[in-house]
Amino acid sequence: MTAPRTIALDGPAGVGKSTIGKLLADRHHYLFLDTGVLYRAVSLVAVRQGIASADTARLREVARDLDVEILRAEPESEFMYRVSIDGEDVTEILRSPEVEQIVSEVSAHPQVRAELLQRQREIARANPSVLVGRDIGTVVLPDADLKVYLDATLEERTMRRHRERLQQDPMYPYERVLAELQRRDKLDTERASSPLRVPDDALLIDTTGKDVDAVLLAIEARMTGG
Ligand code: DC
């Protein structure tokens, strides 16, 4: 089997898609695009401009006009990449509770998704890429050469996310992370437009109790036809 040119990596919040996708891309010289960043960027602009998460028309305009850049992070950075909007570095704030709070609602609008769809496809067309998200294998790149769906129990995902949160705020409650993930799982899977689904032809990996290397090995085996 020749190496896949496009790799679609989907799964629920907190499953480790970005970690796995970034390592995979670095190891095999792909461009890495965490598509959640685009939805987060629209959400951040909405928060700043006081746009309600139900205001389809204005959110669509934000998505259409979004001047977002995704750049390589400096090697010692705690971030996998840096994101700027209109030239301003927003990497950290894209992970803030304010953005987290509305991003699933913002991304449920078909008009917002349609605006961001072409950008994602253009990136994947221009470069051998690993795209990470919720609907990459089902909608954005239905012809991706390799589709992977990562899953893990809610408890495991909560523990992982909680560990990350504690770095920003040592008092962040576990129960709050649990409630956030439950809420986002519900919104991501139940929305009418491009809900989170396992693509029919995906390699399904349950990452519960598996370390990063084990997951990478399973994907790499498939990349080389194993
Ligand atoms: O992966 P993430 O947590 O950064 O994603 C943030 C939100 O964006 C998530 O709740 C659902 C949405 N999203 C989406 O709808 N489609 C994608 N391809 C990526 C993310």
Side-chain angles (χ1 to χ4, degrees):
M1 171 182 169
T2 52
R5 182 178 159 80
T6 43
I7 301 178
L9 191 52
D10 292 301
V15 78
K17 299 180 299 287
S18 301
T19 305
I20 299 290
K22 176 77 168 78
L23 283 168
L24 198 63
D26 285 351
R27 271 159 72 151
H28 300 276
H29 311 292
Y30 287 83
L31 182 139
F32 172 66
L33 176 64
D34 178 357
T35 60
V37 160
L38 301 173
Y39 295 95
R40 286 173 182 272
V42 173
S43 304
L44 176 61
V45 175
V47 169
R48 286 180 165 176
Q49 297 187 3
I51 301 172
S53 59
D55 191 339
T56 311
R58 289 190 67 198
L59 290 172
R60 182 181 160 261
E61 281 171 21
V62 172
R64 186 195 60 204
D65 300 338
L66 191 68
D67 176 11
V68 63
E69 255 193 309
I70 304 168
L71 310 161
R72 244 173 213 288
E74 52 284 14
E76 67 281 8
S77 165
E78 61 173 299
F79 294 102
M80 288 182 263
Y81 42 79
R82 301 217 74 97
V83 185
S84 73
I85 302 176
D86 294 327
E88 176 198 345
D89 188 331
V90 293
T91 314
E92 258 169 86
I93 197 167
L94 287 187
R95 305 276 150 198
S96 64
E98 293 76 17
V99 169
E100 204 87 358
Q101 181 67 30
I102 65 161
V103 65
S104 288
E105 279 137 30
V106 168
S107 60
H109 293 281
Q111 296 84 345
V112 171
R113 307 197 68 81
E115 289 294 340
L116 298 178
L117 184 64
Q118 287 316 320
R119 291 182 192 233
Q120 298 172 65
R121 286 190 176 151
E122 276 161 26
I123 290 169
R125 206 176 300 127
N127 312 274
S129 324
V130 177
L131 264 66
V132 166
R134 301 290 189 291
D135 61 340
I136 308 302
T138 50
V139 176
V140 179
L141 303 175
D143 298 327
D145 298 320
L146 175 61
K147 298 180 188 178
V148 179
Y149 187 94
L150 298 183
D151 212 348
T153 60
L154 178 63
E155 289 69 28
E156 172 110 1
R157 290 184 288 124
T158 306
M159 280 190 309
R160 292 179 190 166
R161 247 316 133 85
H162 187 229
R163 238 179 276 135
E164 285 170 18
R165 282 270 180 261
L166 289 179
Q167 312 219 332
Q168 298 159 342
D169 174 0
M171 302 299 284
Y172 207 92
Y174 176 92
E175 290 67 30
R176 188 153 164 210
V177 181
L178 178 66
E180 276 167 15
L181 284 181
Q182 278 175 318
R183 187 176 147 274
R184 287 183 53 199
D185 280 357
K186 187 168 161 54
L187 289 166
D188 291 348
T189 53
E190 292 182 3
R191 68 173 179 230
S193 177
S194 309
L196 175 65
R197 290 273 181 279
V198 184
D200 286 340
D201 41 355
L203 167 66
L204 175 59
I205 305 176
D206 182 353
T207 70
T208 311
K210 287 198 177 75
D211 63 17
V212 167
D213 280 339
V215 177
L216 279 172
L217 274 176
I219 300 174
E220 286 170 340
R222 184 60 73 91
M223 285 169 75
T224 54

